[in-house]
Amino acid sequence: MAEGGAAVGGGGGRRDESLGSAPGGCADPASRPPGAERDACRSCLAEGYRLLGTVRVVVALGGIAFAEVFRLLEGAGVEVPRPRPRFGHGVVVRTS
């Protein structure tokens, strides 16, 4: 794992093809990470996204990650659906 909870590579892909990040840390469903922790992870996620260049698929594992991905995409100028879809297992959202 890189500093900030992000790992690049793994999963059988080339090192320059994937990014793993934990924008919510290891929060269980009954608790939420403090804002400062989310903010620190957010900047790491944004840097990884920037370094990848082209991103075709994002898998968000949990509601916090789902919300952070939309926040990241909006900040990068990607048009995201309004209202934002609700997190759920197996949810697929297409963006521009």
Side-chain angles (χ1 to χ4, degrees):
M1 284 294 226
E3 183 177 335
V8 178
R14 291 190 345 231
R15 184 167 176 80
D16 62 348
E17 291 181 329
S18 60
L19 167 75
S21 183
C26 296
D28 65 69
S31 67
R32 297 187 64 78
E37 181 180 334
R38 282 194 318 271
D39 292 348
C41 292
R42 184 177 298 131
S43 63
C44 185
L45 178 63
E47 178 66 5
Y49 180 81
R50 185 190 69 76
L51 290 171
L52 282 172
T54 302
V55 175
R56 291 187 221 140
V57 176
V58 175
V59 179
L61 303 178
I64 294 170
F66 192 74
E68 289 298 325
V69 166
F70 279 111
R71 187 178 196 152
L72 169 76
L73 293 175
E74 281 184 320
V78 176
E79 188 176 324
V80 299
R82 288 285 185 194
R84 286 185 183 171
R86 292 181 54 114
F87 170 75
H89 297 282
V91 170
V92 175
V93 179
R94 298 193 191 289
T95 62
S96 61

